[in-house]
Amino acid sequence: MQGCWIRGLIYCILWYLSIFSGFLLLCCPLLPLLFLNHKLYRRCIDVIFAVWEMYPVVLMEVLFGTKIIVTGDRVRTSECSLLVMNHRTRLDWNFLWAAMFYAAEPQTHRTKFVLKAPIRHAPGPGWVMQMAGFLYIHRQWERDQKLLANVLDYLSEIKYTYQVLIFPEGTDFNERSLKRSNDFADTHHLEHYTKVLHPKTTGFVFLANKMRENRQLDAVYDFSVGYPGSLPQSEMDVLRGIFPEEVHFHIKRYPTSEIPTSDAGLKEWVNDLWQQKEQMLVDFYFHRSFTPHATSTTSPPPTPTNALLLALLFWTGLILITVYGLFTSLYLQLWTFIHCCLFLVLSFTSEGIHQLEASWYKNPPTHEKD
């Protein structure tokens, strides 16, 4: 598997600088809104993040020619939904943004990932994802369910429409994780899988129940992802310029009426779904496409769309302004120092600014609830 490290380095630098520039120049100026108008703050952050999500998509298309092929159902972003997906590589989330760009209808989705808690400390990306309302967990269930409930209840109170992505497998697919999965299967008298890992159901059951309790679960979307060619397994592969020629997604929508209501029923439903996913992926790697399962197919045009080109110009321009300002402006240097210190302190002394946002809405420190 060959890659071009120069293109990989350019991609990683632009990816990181774009999100750090957005954090400094676009997101941080909005912090006062947390104390003035929660809904406006959330709306503004969502717009910024939605515009940024197009940047990695166009970088992939321009630098590597990666094609994103989506089959199956469209994702209705006017409804609250829970997204589940197999976790083939550590980079699945990066390609999911491209899938949502082509599959979401309308394109203005508000997808929140469930991520490992240490990611929130990452300077720039971790801080922006806190502000965007991503859900961080510690894998300590008593603690995690309180954190998840705090944010989900807050989103319900402000009547916020969103989508939550969870990887039920809990980790990416590799030789070690497959062995652990098959050891688990032997212990519980289950079949061995070759393309997926046996799912962990606790998080899914809690999210489905909580969202339904809040009357914010309209559907569950099952995403299956496959890589018929080159496969970047880790961030280092991206740095070396190893990118897939194609990434295929197959999406199946299940309305709430088709989802069980009991905990046992939900667990069985996810396990059955993963059994079907295993066979679907076996077929995918034989045919090199999800076509036999597809009802419709969405592929990117030969050249990036106008929206993607505008995103390319906007974020690249913002990077240049930020870099120039950091070298020439004492004001921007001070602004950067203050906000980096603020988020370092918040990240290590609290569960993140998104958790504080939810708590401040319920118990405002300096103002009445808006």
Coordinates of all heavy atoms in Angstrom, one line a residue, residues 105-152:
E105 N -30.3 15.0 4.0 CA -31.4 15.7 3.3 C -32.3 16.4 4.3 O -33.1 15.7 5.0 CB -32.2 14.7 2.5 CG -33.1 15.4 1.5 CD -33.8 14.3 0.6 OE1 -34.2 13.3 1.1 OE2 -33.8 14.5 -0.7
P106 N -32.2 17.8 4.4 CA -31.2 18.6 3.8 C -29.8 18.4 4.4 O -29.7 17.7 5.4 CB -31.8 20.0 4.1 CG -32.6 19.9 5.3 CD -33.2 18.5 5.3
Q107 N -28.8 19.1 3.8 CA -27.4 18.8 4.2 C -27.1 19.4 5.6 O -26.0 19.0 6.1 CB -26.5 19.4 3.2 CG -26.5 18.6 1.9 CD -25.6 19.1 0.8 OE1 -25.3 20.3 0.8 NE2 -25.0 18.3 0.0
T108 N -27.9 20.2 6.2 CA -27.5 20.9 7.4 C -27.8 19.9 8.6 O -28.8 20.1 9.4 CB -28.3 22.2 7.6 OG1 -29.7 21.9 7.4 CG2 -27.8 23.2 6.6
H109 N -27.0 18.9 8.7 CA -27.2 17.9 9.8 C -26.5 18.5 11.1 O -25.6 19.4 11.0 CB -26.6 16.6 9.4 CG -25.1 16.6 9.2 ND1 -24.2 16.3 10.2 CD2 -24.4 16.8 8.1 CE1 -23.0 16.3 9.7 NE2 -23.1 16.7 8.4
R110 N -26.8 17.8 12.2 CA -26.2 18.2 13.5 C -25.7 16.9 14.2 O -26.1 16.6 15.3 CB -27.2 18.9 14.4 CG -27.6 20.3 13.8 CD -28.8 20.8 14.6 NE -29.2 22.2 14.3 CZ -30.3 22.8 14.8 NH1 -31.1 22.1 15.6 NH2 -30.5 24.0 14.5
T111 N -24.8 16.2 13.6 CA -24.4 14.9 14.1 C -23.4 15.1 15.2 O -22.4 15.8 15.1 CB -23.7 14.1 12.9 OG1 -24.7 14.0 11.8 CG2 -23.4 12.7 13.4
K112 N -23.6 14.4 16.3 CA -22.8 14.4 17.5 C -22.2 13.0 17.6 O -22.9 12.1 17.7 CB -23.5 14.8 18.7 CG -24.5 16.0 18.6 CD -23.8 17.3 18.2 CE -24.8 18.4 18.0 NZ -24.2 19.6 17.4
F113 N -20.9 12.9 17.7 CA -20.3 11.6 17.9 C -20.1 11.3 19.4 O -20.0 12.2 20.2 CB -18.8 11.6 17.3 CG -18.8 11.8 15.9 CD1 -17.5 11.8 15.2 CD2 -19.9 12.0 15.1 CE1 -17.4 12.0 13.9 CE2 -19.8 12.2 13.7 CZ -18.6 12.2 13.1
V114 N -20.2 10.0 19.8 CA -19.9 9.6 21.1 C -18.4 9.2 21.1 O -18.0 8.3 20.3 CB -20.7 8.4 21.5 CG1 -20.3 7.9 22.9 CG2 -22.2 8.8 21.5
L115 N -17.6 9.9 21.8 CA -16.1 9.8 21.8 C -15.5 9.4 23.1 O -16.1 9.7 24.2 CB -15.5 11.1 21.3 CG -15.9 11.6 19.9 CD1 -15.4 13.0 19.7 CD2 -15.4 10.7 18.8
K116 N -14.3 8.9 23.1 CA -13.6 8.6 24.4 C -13.2 10.0 25.0 O -12.7 10.9 24.3 CB -12.3 7.8 24.1 CG -12.6 6.4 23.5 CD -11.4 5.7 23.1 CE -11.7 4.4 22.4 NZ -10.4 3.7 21.9
A117 N -13.3 10.1 26.3 CA -13.2 11.3 27.1 C -11.8 12.0 26.8 O -11.7 13.2 26.8 CB -13.4 11.1 28.5
P118 N -10.7 11.3 26.8 CA -9.4 11.9 26.6 C -9.3 12.8 25.3 O -8.5 13.7 25.3 CB -8.4 10.8 26.5 CG -9.0 9.7 27.3 CD -10.5 9.8 27.0
I119 N -10.1 12.5 24.3 CA -10.1 13.3 23.1 C -10.4 14.8 23.3 O -10.0 15.7 22.6 CB -11.0 12.7 22.0 CG1 -10.5 11.3 21.7 CG2 -11.1 13.5 20.8 CD1 -11.4 10.5 20.7
R120 N -11.2 15.0 24.4 CA -11.7 16.4 24.6 C -10.5 17.3 25.0 O -10.6 18.5 24.9 CB -12.7 16.4 25.7 CG -12.2 16.3 27.2 CD -13.4 16.3 28.1 NE -13.0 16.4 29.5 CZ -12.6 15.4 30.3 NH1 -12.6 14.1 29.8 NH2 -12.3 15.6 31.6
H121 N -9.3 16.7 25.4 CA -8.2 17.5 25.8 C -7.4 18.0 24.6 O -6.5 18.9 24.7 CB -7.2 16.7 26.7 CG -7.9 16.2 28.0 ND1 -8.6 17.0 28.8 CD2 -7.9 14.9 28.5 CE1 -9.1 16.3 29.8 NE2 -8.7 15.0 29.7
A122 N -7.6 17.4 23.4 CA -6.8 17.7 22.2 C -6.9 19.2 21.9 O -8.0 19.7 21.6 CB -7.2 16.8 21.0
P123 N -5.8 19.9 21.9 CA -5.9 21.4 21.6 C -6.4 21.6 20.2 O -5.9 21.2 19.3 CB -4.4 21.8 21.7 CG -3.7 20.8 22.6 CD -4.5 19.5 22.3
G124 N -7.5 22.4 20.2 CA -8.2 22.7 18.9 C -9.3 21.7 18.7 O -10.5 22.0 19.0
P125 N -9.1 20.6 18.1 CA -10.2 19.7 17.7 C -11.0 19.2 18.9 O -12.3 19.3 18.9 CB -9.5 18.5 17.1 CG -8.2 19.0 16.6 CD -7.8 20.1 17.5
G126 N -10.4 18.8 20.0 CA -11.1 18.4 21.2 C -12.0 19.5 21.8 O -13.1 19.3 22.2
W127 N -11.4 20.8 21.8 CA -12.1 21.9 22.3 C -13.3 22.3 21.4 O -14.4 22.6 21.9 CB -11.2 23.1 22.4 CG -10.0 22.8 23.3 CD1 -9.9 21.8 24.2 CD2 -8.8 23.5 23.3 NE1 -8.6 21.9 24.8 CE2 -7.9 22.9 24.3 CE3 -8.3 24.6 22.6 CZ2 -6.6 23.3 24.6 CZ3 -7.0 25.1 22.9 CH2 -6.2 24.4 23.8
V128 N -13.1 22.3 20.1 CA -14.2 22.6 19.2 C -15.3 21.6 19.3 O -16.5 21.9 19.3 CB -13.7 22.7 17.7 CG1 -14.9 22.8 16.8 CG2 -12.8 23.9 17.6
M129 N -15.0 20.3 19.4 CA -16.0 19.3 19.5 C -16.8 19.4 20.9 O -17.9 19.0 20.9 CB -15.4 17.9 19.3 CG -15.0 17.6 17.9 SD -14.5 15.9 17.5 CE -12.9 15.9 18.3
Q130 N -16.1 19.9 21.9 CA -16.8 20.2 23.1 C -17.9 21.3 22.8 O -19.1 21.1 23.2 CB -15.9 20.7 24.2 CG -15.0 19.7 24.9 CD -14.1 20.4 25.9 OE1 -14.6 21.2 26.7 NE2 -12.9 20.0 26.0
M131 N -17.5 22.4 22.2 CA -18.4 23.5 21.9 C -19.5 23.0 20.9 O -20.6 23.5 21.0 CB -17.6 24.6 21.3 CG -16.5 25.2 22.2 SD -15.6 26.6 21.5 CE -16.8 27.9 21.6
A132 N -19.2 22.0 20.1 CA -20.2 21.5 19.1 C -21.2 20.6 19.8 O -22.2 20.1 19.2 CB -19.5 20.9 17.9
G133 N -20.9 20.2 21.1 CA -21.9 19.3 21.8 C -21.6 17.8 21.6 O -22.5 17.0 21.8
F134 N -20.4 17.4 21.2 CA -20.1 16.0 21.1 C -20.2 15.4 22.5 O -20.0 16.1 23.5 CB -18.7 15.8 20.4 CG -18.7 16.0 18.9 CD1 -19.4 17.0 18.3 CD2 -18.1 15.1 18.1 CE1 -19.4 17.2 17.0 CE2 -18.1 15.3 16.7 CZ -18.7 16.3 16.2
L135 N -20.4 14.1 22.5 CA -20.6 13.4 23.8 C -19.4 12.6 24.1 O -19.0 11.6 23.4 CB -21.8 12.5 23.7 CG -23.1 13.2 23.3 CD1 -24.2 12.2 22.9 CD2 -23.6 14.1 24.4
Y136 N -18.7 12.9 25.2 CA -17.5 12.2 25.7 C -17.8 11.3 26.8 O -18.6 11.6 27.7 CB -16.5 13.2 26.2 CG -15.9 14.1 25.1 CD1 -16.4 15.4 24.8 CD2 -14.9 13.7 24.2 CE1 -15.9 16.2 23.8 CE2 -14.4 14.5 23.2 CZ -14.9 15.7 23.0 OH -14.4 16.5 22.0
I137 N -17.3 10.1 26.7 CA -17.5 9.0 27.8 C -16.2 8.5 28.3 O -15.2 8.5 27.6 CB -18.4 7.9 27.3 CG1 -17.7 7.2 26.1 CG2 -19.8 8.4 26.9 CD1 -18.5 6.0 25.6
H138 N -16.2 8.0 29.6 CA -15.0 7.5 30.2 C -15.0 6.0 30.3 O -14.0 5.4 30.8 CB -15.0 8.0 31.7 CG -14.9 9.5 31.8 ND1 -13.7 10.2 31.9 CD2 -15.9 10.4 31.8 CE1 -13.9 11.5 32.0 NE2 -15.3 11.7 31.9
R139 N -16.1 5.3 29.8 CA -16.2 3.9 29.9 C -16.3 3.4 31.4 O -15.8 2.4 31.8 CB -15.1 3.1 29.2 CG -15.2 3.3 27.7 CD -14.2 2.5 26.9 NE -14.4 2.6 25.5 CZ -13.6 2.0 24.6 NH1 -12.7 1.2 25.0 NH2 -13.9 2.2 23.3
Q140 N -16.9 4.3 32.2 CA -17.3 4.0 33.6 C -18.8 4.3 33.6 O -19.2 5.4 33.7 CB -16.5 4.9 34.6 CG -15.0 4.8 34.5 CD -14.3 5.8 35.3 OE1 -14.9 6.6 36.1 NE2 -13.0 6.0 35.0
W141 N -19.6 3.2 33.6 CA -21.0 3.4 33.2 C -21.8 4.3 34.1 O -22.6 5.1 33.6 CB -21.7 2.1 33.0 CG -23.0 2.2 32.4 CD1 -24.2 1.8 32.9 CD2 -23.4 3.0 31.2 NE1 -25.3 2.2 32.1 CE2 -24.8 2.9 31.1 CE3 -22.7 3.7 30.3 CZ2 -25.5 3.5 30.1 CZ3 -23.4 4.3 29.3 CH2 -24.7 4.2 29.1
E142 N -21.6 4.2 35.4 CA -22.4 5.1 36.3 C -22.1 6.5 36.0 O -23.0 7.4 36.0 CB -22.1 4.7 37.7 CG -22.7 3.4 38.2 CD -22.5 3.2 39.7 OE1 -22.1 4.2 40.4 OE2 -22.8 2.1 40.2
R143 N -20.9 6.8 35.8 CA -20.5 8.2 35.5 C -20.9 8.6 34.1 O -21.5 9.7 33.9 CB -18.9 8.3 35.5 CG -18.3 9.7 35.3 CD -16.8 9.6 35.5 NE -16.1 10.8 35.3 CZ -14.8 11.0 35.3 NH1 -14.0 9.9 35.5 NH2 -14.3 12.2 35.2
D144 N -20.8 7.7 33.1 CA -21.1 8.1 31.7 C -22.6 8.3 31.5 O -23.0 9.3 30.8 CB -20.6 7.0 30.8 CG -19.1 6.9 30.6 OD1 -18.5 7.9 30.9 OD2 -18.6 5.8 30.3
Q145 N -23.4 7.5 32.1 CA -24.9 7.7 31.9 C -25.4 9.1 32.4 O -26.3 9.7 31.8 CB -25.7 6.6 32.4 CG -25.6 6.3 33.9 CD -26.4 5.1 34.3 OE1 -27.4 4.8 33.7 NE2 -26.0 4.4 35.3
K146 N -24.7 9.5 33.5 CA -25.1 10.9 34.0 C -24.7 12.0 33.0 O -25.4 12.9 32.8 CB -24.5 11.1 35.4 CG -25.0 10.2 36.5 CD -24.3 10.4 37.8 CE -24.8 9.5 38.9 NZ -24.0 9.6 40.1
L147 N -23.5 11.8 32.5 CA -23.0 12.8 31.5 C -23.8 12.8 30.2 O -24.2 13.9 29.7 CB -21.5 12.5 31.1 CG -20.5 12.6 32.3 CD1 -19.1 12.2 31.8 CD2 -20.4 14.1 32.8
L148 N -24.2 11.6 29.7 CA -25.0 11.6 28.5 C -26.4 12.2 28.8 O -26.9 12.9 28.0 CB -25.1 10.1 28.1 CG -23.8 9.5 27.5 CD1 -24.1 8.0 27.3 CD2 -23.4 10.1 26.2
A149 N -27.0 11.8 30.0 CA -28.3 12.3 30.3 C -28.3 13.8 30.4 O -29.3 14.5 30.0 CB -28.8 11.6 31.6
N150 N -27.3 14.4 31.0 CA -27.2 15.8 31.2 C -27.3 16.6 29.9 O -28.1 17.5 29.8 CB -25.9 16.2 31.9 CG -25.8 17.6 32.4 OD1 -26.8 18.2 32.9 ND2 -24.7 18.3 32.2
V151 N -26.5 16.1 28.9 CA -26.6 16.8 27.6 C -27.9 16.5 26.9 O -28.5 17.4 26.3 CB -25.3 16.4 26.8 CG1 -25.4 17.0 25.3 CG2 -24.0 16.8 27.4
L152 N -28.3 15.3 26.9 CA -29.5 14.9 26.1 C -30.8 15.6 26.7 O -31.6 16.1 25.9 CB -29.7 13.4 26.1 CG -28.7 12.6 25.3 CD1 -29.0 11.1 25.4 CD2 -28.6 13.1 23.9

